Amino acid sequence: MLKRLINLFLLLPMACIDPYEVTVPDGQQLLTVEGLIHTGPGPHAITLTRSDTYGSVFEGLIRPVTGATVVVRDDEAESLFLAEGQDSRGSYFTPVGFQAEIGKSYTLQIQTADERVYTSLPERVESVPEIEDIGVKTVTIPVEGEIIPRSGVQLISEINDPADQNNFYFWRLSPVVHVLEARPDLFTDREFRTSAPKDCCSVCYRTESTGNQSLFIAQDDNFNGLNTRIPAAFIEDNGLRFVNTLRVDLKQYAISQEAFRFLRLVKQQAEISGSIFDPPPATIRGNMISLDNPDEVVLGYFMAAGESTRRIYISKADLTFQQNAGIIPDDCRTVSGASVNPPFDWNP
């Protein structure tokens, strides 16, 4: 029976199949604006990027927008021209001495190299309460299929919220500086695969940008006029950051209600779990518009805010759970951002 079936298939006519070519339309290139000016020390940065169309190898999906004219204007008709960074293509910086002023409104205006003109809606700078204290809480995050959870440190901002106004808060972190411990005595020559201990160096100070693991925002509907403590940041323990001492500046901003609504939508979309019950992703419009084509979609948001900052040193003794310490079998100076010299203001 099997032989008959095989013979039958061999007698069937064979034909070539012409390849079907699919034409994929070019995607729209969207300008994205990310920027915050504030009352703290500068320089402050405005970053411009444009989403690229899909190519055959899906490269270069996000491109910096270079050669633009970027201007910040206040409500007293004063203009400030930003300079593009030499090492940061697409990022434009205010002069070091510039600081936004409380009570003033600021507008961002952009003219790209192809002479497209964009502007933001005005953003008013609100006053911000000081950070009275920073609390530290160890947080563990279960990982499916793993015995050891992810973990890190949550920073908690203590503030006295003003009772005479509605306040909207946003937090960011400065780059962290931490003691980096290495084992140069364990160095191995890769070429000869033999032990080749080094005399230096086992202790460095590393500066790195960890970013915030989420958007930390809050509004004072439930604590207006009260002293309160709010989760404001999270720093993940990667096995290296908390082996000794870590330093970070917590930056607290008073933002506009419109900026808060924008960040809340971004946060909600970023935290979608991917289940069938989640709302579909949507384009979130910010406060930027095109003066050439009002229907053009422009992404991102230009914010102006009051800033308060507080520094904290975190010791490994402050953590109730730590990741297994990572081992660097080499001179600690080989790690990016590491130096044997502590920052001039290092004072744990």
Side-chain angles (χ1 to χ4, degrees), residues 101-168:
E101 298 180 36
I102 293 173
K104 279 191 175 183
S105 293
Y106 294 87
T107 302
L108 177 67
Q109 296 184 340
I110 301 165
Q111 181 173 337
T112 60
D114 57 0
E115 298 187 350
R116 300 184 192 181
V117 180
Y118 303 86
T119 186
S120 74
L121 300 176
E123 280 282 292
R124 187 175 188 273
V125 178
E126 304 291 348
S127 60
V128 61
E130 296 296 321
I131 301 174
E132 301 296 329
D133 192 20
I134 300 177
V136 173
K137 178 183 178 182
T138 303
V139 175
T140 57
I141 306 167
V143 179
E144 186 176 355
E146 300 288 339
I147 298 176
I148 300 176
R150 291 172 55 203
S151 65
V153 168
Q154 185 179 81
L155 303 183
I156 301 171
S157 176
E158 180 180 345
I159 59 174
N160 291 316
D161 181 74
D164 58 348
Q165 65 186 55
N166 290 329
N167 295 95
F168 302 89

Side-chain angles (χ1 to χ4, degrees), residues 22-311:
V22 178
T23 302
V24 180
D26 289 341
Q28 185 180 8
Q29 297 184 347
L30 302 179
L31 177 68
T32 301
V33 179
E34 180 184 356
L36 169 64
I37 62 170
H38 51 78
T39 56
H44 310 155
I46 306 294
T47 300
L48 309 179
T49 56
R50 195 176 286 279
S51 60
D52 204 353
T53 56
Y54 286 101
S56 59
V57 290
F58 300 96
E59 292 182 349
L61 299 180
I62 303 296
R63 298 181 301 172
V65 175
T66 62
T69 300
V70 180
V71 181
V72 171
R73 287 192 168 93
D74 64 23
D75 51 10
E76 296 180 357
E78 294 289 333
S79 297
L80 181 73
F81 286 80
L82 281 65
E84 186 171 5
Q86 294 183 351
D87 300 323
S88 305
R89 297 176 64 242
S91 292
Y92 300 80
F93 298 90
T94 65
V96 175
F98 170 77
Q99 293 177 263
E101 298 180 36
I102 293 173
K104 279 191 175 183
S105 293
Y106 294 87
T107 302
L108 177 67
Q109 296 184 340
I110 301 165
Q111 181 173 337
T112 60
D114 57 0
E115 298 187 350
R116 300 184 192 181
V117 180
Y118 303 86
T119 186
S120 74
L121 300 176
E123 280 282 292
R124 187 175 188 273
V125 178
E126 304 291 348
S127 60
V128 61
E130 296 296 321
I131 301 174
E132 301 296 329
D133 192 20
I134 300 177
V136 173
K137 178 183 178 182
T138 303
V139 175
T140 57
I141 306 167
V143 179
E144 186 176 355
E146 300 288 339
I147 298 176
I148 300 176
R150 291 172 55 203
S151 65
V153 168
Q154 185 179 81
L155 303 183
I156 301 171
S157 176
E158 180 180 345
I159 59 174
N160 291 316
D161 181 74
D164 58 348
Q165 65 186 55
N166 290 329
N167 295 95
F168 302 89
Y169 298 100
F170 171 45
W171 289 271
R172 295 201 304 191
L173 293 174
S174 70
V176 304
V177 181
H178 63 90
V179 177
L180 183 69
E181 297 184 356
R183 294 289 305 275
D185 58 306
L186 298 180
F187 180 74
T188 299
D189 188 300
R190 293 184 179 179
E191 181 178 357
F192 299 102
R193 298 183 180 180
T194 57
S195 177
K198 294 183 179 181
D199 295 330
C200 188
C201 292
S202 60
V203 177
C204 286
Y205 298 84
R206 187 187 187 194
T207 302
E208 63 171 328
S209 295
T210 62
N212 233 337
Q213 299 294 314
S214 177
L215 277 174
F216 286 83
I217 54 176
Q219 64 182 107
D220 65 354
D221 285 356
N222 296 324
F223 54 85
N224 185 46
L226 302 175
N227 175 277
T228 189
R229 295 168 61 84
I230 313 170
F234 178 79
I235 305 172
E236 185 160 5
D237 183 355
N238 64 352
L240 299 173
R241 296 183 184 125
F242 296 102
V243 296
N244 193 304
T245 303
L246 177 143
R247 184 186 82 180
V248 68
D249 295 339
L250 179 62
K251 299 177 181 294
Q252 177 172 280
Y253 299 100
I255 59 176
S256 67
Q257 184 174 7
E258 292 75 20
F260 174 81
R261 287 172 177 167
F262 172 81
L263 292 176
R264 183 176 59 187
L265 288 173
V266 172
K267 179 180 175 71
Q268 289 172 350
Q269 185 157 308
E271 293 176 351
I272 289 176
S273 64
S275 74
I276 61 173
F277 302 105
D278 288 329
T283 299
I284 302 173
R285 300 284 297 259
N287 64 344
M288 298 294 304
I289 57 174
S290 168
L291 295 182
D292 303 306
N293 177 15
D295 294 327
E296 179 181 346
V297 176
V298 184
L299 303 179
Y301 204 99
F302 166 69
M303 288 185 281
E307 180 199 69
S308 63
T309 302
R310 191 178 181 97
R311 174 167 291 176

